[in-house]
Amino acid sequence: MGPLVPDLISQNLNYILALFIGIAFGAILEQAGFSSSRRLVGLFYGYDFTVLRVFFTAGIVAMVGVMALEHFGLLDMNLVYINPTFLWSAIIGGLIMGLGFVVGGYCPGTSFCAAAIGKLDALALIGGALVGVLIFAEGYPLFEGVYKAAYFGSPRISQTLGVPPNLFASVMVLFALAAFGVASFVERKVNGKPAPTPRWTPSRVGLVAAGIVLALSAFSFTDRKAELLQLVQDERLVRSYPIEVMSVDEFAFRLMDEEDDRIQVIDFRPETEIARERLPKSYAFTVDNLFEQEPSRLLRLKGKINVFVANDELTERRVATIAHELGFRRIQILEGGLNAFREQILHFQPSRPPQSMMEEFTYRFRNKAKRVIPELIRQNKNSEPVKKEKKRVLGGC
């Protein structure tokens, strides 16, 4: 599951990969004509909208791509860094950069692209940018108040507008298609070209079809978490879902067996309740942890049997169903939940004298477990819970 940094790819390797990706990106920009200041500023004068088409296309494809990766469980958005919004610094910085773009003919990225092929105006613009960076760094105490003013956190536009993300993505794709059409109309007007006879050429049909497919595909990538949480509200479906069940006697035996390191108890009770009664070999978990990259690694440990426990069996079945749907395997639940475990093991009281040899052995075992397990719980109560920290990597432009 992504992001790849820092777990699958180290920070140092990340910098090396970023260098080669940056070189490839610069080469593509140069081949697309983005090392020409005349082409870049054409966006502002209306005679060339290549910049709009390229970056708008990249934006909507990336947006739907991220939704697809998150939908299929390949990307944990909780670990993706989103630049925080400081309103006034964003407005002032945007105006300075826009003015520099119009005057100099380059944005920061394309200026390095043009400088790489020896353009002196790009080198001059980079020099000016470095002077600006130096002024900001040295004068930071003076600018800090404005720089950090009007903090809005890291909101997403769909959340701010109160619309579903897939609907917002679909509308943005359609908006991009409309913007491309308007841009072409403005280009022809500014360049004095006659309007072509409207006709559906293969390339035009392909472009529109690709845009419509992209817009519609956004509806396919629904919020998987919300979808699964809604699914497990169906009690009939949850109770019929095929999940392995561990008996209370086997559970008690494996808790007491010090050499049994295959079992790990995944406890879904509230933290305050776990703090009062922390089971041996257990880890505190929440439903949210199942969707997160870091905590869910625990469930993928090779050779381990994950026993989901909660106070009642229905809750165990619900979280186990979600885990199965997310692709986790070797999941079992405790028969009857912890309520049944307390009644039959921790507070065991035989209702009648043993009627058979098997019942005699069962009574002996439960009486032993009734003495041993509370002591194990008492010893485990003083241990620190396992921390499931999120390793969010800072960065972005």
Side-chain angles (χ1 to χ4, degrees):
M1 180 188 288
L4 303 179
V5 181
D7 297 309
L8 299 182
I9 295 178
S10 68
Q11 194 74 19
N12 292 336
L13 181 58
N14 178 46
Y15 289 138
I16 296 172
L17 288 176
L19 173 65
F20 287 105
I21 292 173
I23 292 172
F25 182 60
I28 292 171
L29 284 181
E30 204 284 325
Q31 288 299 305
F34 280 22
S35 59
S36 166
S37 58
R38 178 174 170 74
R39 164 160 285 185
L40 293 172
V41 296
L43 174 70
F44 301 102
Y45 294 99
Y47 61 78
D48 192 333
F49 282 89
T50 304
V51 173
L52 173 75
R53 294 189 182 95
V54 170
F55 284 102
F56 212 164
T57 301
I60 58 176
V61 171
M63 176 176 60
V64 178
V66 166
M67 291 176 65
L69 291 173
E70 187 182 18
H71 174 79
F72 291 112
L74 300 173
L75 178 67
D76 182 359
M77 281 301 294
N78 292 313
L79 299 182
V80 175
Y81 180 73
I82 301 174
N83 274 329
T85 300
F86 296 95
L87 186 61
W88 283 113
S89 56
I91 292 174
I92 295 171
L95 289 173
I96 293 173
M97 180 183 162
L99 182 62
F101 198 166
V102 174
V103 174
Y106 299 103
C107 70
T110 53
S111 64
F112 281 92
C113 177
I117 59 173
K119 292 202 171 180
L120 296 179
D121 55 346
L123 286 171
L125 191 136
I126 292 172
L130 291 176
V131 171
V133 170
L134 181 64
I135 293 172
F136 179 79
E138 292 299 321
Y140 182 75
L142 297 174
F143 305 134
E144 186 176 7
V146 177
Y147 177 69
K148 293 184 175 177
Y151 174 66
F152 285 84
S154 302
R156 300 188 200 180
I157 298 176
S158 59
Q159 292 173 343
T160 305
L161 297 177
V163 297
N166 47 3
L167 175 61
F168 175 76
S170 182
V171 169
M172 283 301 293
V173 173
L174 296 176
F175 182 76
L177 289 175
F180 297 157
V182 172
S184 297
F185 175 78
V186 173
E187 273 181 346
R188 286 195 298 273
K189 283 287 185 183
V190 173
N191 294 323
K193 293 182 179 178
T197 305
R199 57 176 181 159
W200 289 101
T201 61
S203 60
R204 190 168 295 175
V205 171
L207 177 65
V208 173
I212 292 174
V213 169
L214 192 64
L216 294 177
S217 66
F219 286 104
S220 306
F221 307 132
T222 53
D223 186 337
R224 201 175 187 210
K225 182 177 176 182
E227 202 172 57
L228 289 177
L229 291 176
Q230 181 63 34
L231 176 72
V232 296
Q233 295 307 308
D234 186 343
E235 186 175 334
R236 188 175 173 184
L237 181 146
V238 170
R239 290 194 181 279
S240 62
Y241 200 93
I243 296 172
E244 289 187 63
V245 178
M246 182 177 287
S247 70
V248 291
D249 292 313
E250 181 184 353
F251 186 67
F253 178 80
R254 303 192 78 155
L255 288 184
M256 292 190 296
D257 186 358
E258 294 181 356
E259 296 182 357
D260 185 356
D261 59 355
R262 291 193 64 204
I263 183 177
Q264 52 185 18
V265 181
I266 310 301
D267 197 333
F268 285 90
R269 290 177 296 164
E271 284 191 12
T272 52
E273 198 171 329
I274 294 174
R276 291 196 303 269
E277 186 188 53
R278 191 184 305 283
L279 294 169
K281 306 176 183 180
S282 70
Y283 300 91
F285 239 68
T286 65
V287 175
D288 289 339
N289 292 152
L290 294 174
F291 296 88
E292 296 167 353
Q293 184 184 40
E294 286 299 314
S296 63
R297 289 179 187 279
L298 185 69
L299 305 182
R300 299 188 189 279
L301 292 178
K302 192 175 181 181
K304 295 288 187 182
I305 299 173
N306 301 299
V307 184
F308 283 18
V309 299
N311 283 325
D312 59 279
E313 187 176 313
L314 180 58
T315 301
E316 293 175 347
R317 285 188 174 276
R318 284 190 165 125
V319 290
T321 301
I322 292 174
H324 269 272
E325 289 294 316
L326 290 173
F328 296 108
R329 294 296 177 262
R330 301 189 304 280
I331 303 292
Q332 297 188 24
I333 61 170
L334 175 62
E335 184 179 20
L338 287 172
N339 287 336
F341 181 72
R342 292 189 192 96
E343 181 183 344
Q344 298 176 36
I345 301 293
L346 299 182
H347 306 143
F348 173 65
Q349 292 294 338
S351 58
R352 60 178 185 181
Q355 304 295 308
S356 63
M357 187 64 73
M358 177 61 72
E359 214 166 59
E360 172 71 23
F361 289 148
T362 302
Y363 283 11
R364 286 183 191 175
F365 170 75
R366 290 185 178 183
N367 278 319
K368 179 183 177 184
K370 180 182 173 182
R371 295 191 307 273
V372 174
I373 293 179
E375 179 61 22
L376 293 175
I377 292 174
R378 190 187 64 77
Q379 294 172 4
N380 202 43
K381 187 176 181 180
N382 298 325
S383 62
E384 289 291 326
V386 176
K387 294 182 179 178
K388 300 180 284 293
E389 296 179 350
K390 295 177 181 178
K391 298 178 182 177
R392 174 175 283 187
V393 178
L394 301 181
C397 67

